[in-house]
């Protein structure tokens, strides 16, 4: 009954009918804060100087006392007046932007932001506020926000709106080709932020996509959030309204991809495949099956950086490097 007003007869009609669902998700489930009020004046400083790109730390004001920040990677071989696609690379829980950027670090992120910059993309790695415990208990933000009909993603969405404002203003960025790619909590962001912020041209969810209702409520599976302290993942009335497949469908008709390691302990292949089948069917119904994909790989909770990189090159219309570059 909730989805009875959705129109899947064409991509355009779906996108139009999905607007009421996007609005409901933002206002009634996640909670919506007003837009940014501070002047868009970025503070930057150079912190990386790599062979193929330069990296800058960025701070963007949102509201008084609230800011968005991250690391911007700019390829060194850009021609004057050239506008390139951007990949926004999102870290997970209790991590920081340098975890996805620093080419010297060895971790689950596989330096994917640095590797994408090596391939010629402009890259931005935002700081999302689900980090820094125990010094910064982000889960308390969720507890404080919920009585106000808000959540931690109410803040995250406003930060990403401000980030997109700024990225779109840069003279070397093509604002029509800004992609999102996140792992873990960054993958959760991939099915909550791009569906609502249509300036993201596509979204890739890694290490998080699942049959979310079961992930929240199952008594029999050890990966259920019932058994860990992650109460921040629970959103009001989510089980009656939006599962991960529904959230991904709100990205359509823009491209959407899932990256899943067979050994990833945050869920099971069965849950992921079951929920993704709804997405594949939806895109097929709309006549655009080529705009969605899932990649399973032999591995755990990490960025695989194989099929997803090809997906980015394809849909952002950016040529792959001659001979390819190492992704491992």
């Amino acid at each position: 009954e909730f989805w009875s007003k959705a129109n899947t007869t064409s991509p355009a009609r779906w996108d139009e009918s999905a607007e009421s669902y996007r609005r409901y998700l933002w206002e009634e489930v996640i909670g919506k804060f007003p837009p940014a009020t501070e002047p868009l004046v970025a503070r930057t400083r150079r912190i990386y100087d790599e062979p193929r790109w330069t990296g800058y730390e960025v701070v963007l004001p949102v509201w008084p006392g609230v800011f968005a920040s991250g690391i911007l990677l700019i390829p060194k071989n850009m021609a004057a007046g050239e506008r390139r696609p951007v990949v926004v690379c999102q870290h997970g829980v209790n991590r920081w932007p340098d975890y996805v950027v620093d080419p010297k670090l060895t971790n689950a992120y596989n330096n994917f932001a640095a590797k994408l910059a090596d391939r010629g993309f402009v890259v931005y790695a935002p700081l999302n506020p689900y980090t820094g415990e125990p010094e910064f208990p982000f889960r308390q933000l969720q507890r404080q926000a919920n009585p106000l009909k808000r959540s931690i993603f109410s803040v995250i969405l406003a930060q990403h709106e401000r980030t997109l404002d700024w990225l779109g203003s840069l003279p070397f960025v093509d604002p029509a080709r800004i992609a999102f790619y996140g792992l873990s909590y960054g993958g959760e962001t991939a099915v909550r932020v791009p569906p609502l912020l249509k300036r993201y041209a596509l979204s890739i969810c890694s290490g998080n996509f699942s049959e979310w209702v079961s992930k929240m409520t199952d008594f029999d599976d050890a990966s259920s959030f019932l058994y860990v302290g992650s109460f921040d993942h629970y959103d009001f009335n989510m089980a009656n309204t939006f599962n991960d497949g529904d959230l991904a469908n709100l990205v359509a008709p823009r491209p959407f991809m899932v990256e899943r390691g067979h050994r990833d302990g945050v869920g099971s292949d069965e849950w992921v495949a079951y929920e993704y089948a709804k997405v594949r069917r939806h895109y097929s119904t709309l006549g655009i099956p080529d705009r969605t994909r899932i990649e399973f790989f032999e591995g755990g909770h990490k960025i695989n950086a194989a099929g997803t990189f090809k997906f980015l090159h394809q849909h952002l219309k950016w040529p792959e490097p001659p001979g390819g570059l190492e992704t491992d």
Side-chain angles (χ1 to χ4, degrees):
E1 182 180 356
F2 179 76
W3 287 97
S4 63
K5 296 180 181 180
N7 187 329
T8 59
T9 57
S10 73
R13 288 178 177 173
W14 161 256
D15 198 28
E16 181 181 3
S17 68
E19 281 304 302
S20 64
Y21 293 99
R22 294 185 182 108
R23 184 168 57 252
Y24 187 96
L25 172 64
W26 201 341
E27 295 177 358
E28 301 299 328
V29 178
I30 291 175
K32 188 173 185 178
F33 278 124
T37 58
E38 295 296 282
L40 183 53
V41 180
R43 291 186 290 145
T44 65
R45 64 175 181 176
R46 189 174 68 180
I47 58 173
Y48 290 102
D49 187 8
E50 297 296 320
R52 293 189 178 96
W53 48 268
T54 306
Y56 297 86
E57 191 173 46
V58 179
V59 177
L60 305 169
V62 181
W63 305 299
V66 179
F67 59 89
S69 68
I71 299 174
L72 178 71
L73 311 185
I74 305 175
K76 291 183 175 179
N77 63 348
M78 296 184 66
E82 183 181 11
R83 288 182 176 266
R84 290 201 184 179
V86 180
V87 183
V88 173
C89 297
Q90 189 64 66
H91 64 80
V93 68
N94 283 326
R95 294 296 181 260
W96 304 86
D98 60 301
Y99 276 73
V100 310
V101 169
D102 196 325
K104 301 178 181 63
L105 293 179
T106 301
N107 55 42
Y109 297 97
N110 201 9
N111 317 113
F112 78 117
K115 290 175 179 176
L116 286 167
D118 285 341
R119 288 169 171 257
F121 293 101
V122 175
V123 175
Y124 187 70
L127 172 65
N128 270 4
Y130 43 67
T131 193
E133 289 193 316
E135 292 82 4
F136 177 64
F138 72 88
R139 291 186 169 99
Q140 299 308 314
L141 287 181
Q142 184 83 331
R143 294 184 62 171
Q144 291 172 321
N146 284 168
L148 302 176
K149 198 181 175 182
R150 306 290 187 273
S151 70
I152 192 171
F153 273 98
S154 305
V155 179
I156 290 169
L157 277 157
Q159 290 173 314
H160 278 260
E161 279 191 300
R162 174 66 12 143
T163 297
L164 288 166
D165 290 341
W166 179 69
L167 287 172
S169 73
L170 298 177
F172 50 85
V173 164
D174 182 350
R177 291 188 291 167
I178 302 177
F180 188 96
Y181 183 2
L183 172 67
S184 196
Y185 223 130
E188 184 171 341
T189 307
V191 292
R192 282 162 173 74
V193 170
L196 300 177
L197 302 185
K198 295 172 71 176
R199 284 181 287 177
Y200 279 120
L202 67 84
S203 183
I204 301 175
C205 175
S206 180
N208 189 268
F209 191 86
S210 186
E211 205 285 274
W212 197 250
V213 176
S214 294
K215 178 74 175 175
M216 296 294 101
T217 62
D218 194 279
F219 286 98
D220 301 316
D221 193 287
S223 70
S224 170
F225 277 128
L226 287 174
Y227 298 115
V228 295
S230 300
F231 60 81
D232 50 290
H233 288 287
Y234 291 86
D235 293 293
F236 178 74
N237 204 30
M238 178 71 87
N240 284 324
T241 52
F242 301 92
N243 210 327
D244 270 8
D246 304 306
L247 296 172
N249 289 344
L250 291 179
V251 176
R254 295 164 290 156
F256 175 79
M257 183 173 178
V258 171
E259 184 178 49
R260 161 71 191 176
H262 285 307
R263 312 303 166 191
D264 191 337
V266 303
S268 68
D269 286 351
E270 290 78 8
W271 278 3
V272 175
Y274 170 84
E275 193 64 17
Y276 177 75
K278 304 174 188 177
V279 181
R280 180 60 174 76
R281 180 178 60 199
H282 180 71
Y283 275 75
S284 181
T285 299
L286 295 177
I288 49 173
D290 58 314
R291 296 187 194 178
T292 188
R293 184 182 173 190
I294 188 169
E295 181 185 60
F296 291 93
F297 64 91
E298 185 57 43
H301 191 66
K302 69 174 187 175
I303 293 286
N304 193 47
T308 53
F309 278 21
K310 292 183 179 297
F311 194 78
L312 288 166
H313 281 287
Q314 175 189 353
H315 292 288
L316 293 179
K317 297 179 173 57
W318 182 250
E320 293 194 58
L325 288 171
E326 288 293 329
T327 60
D328 295 331

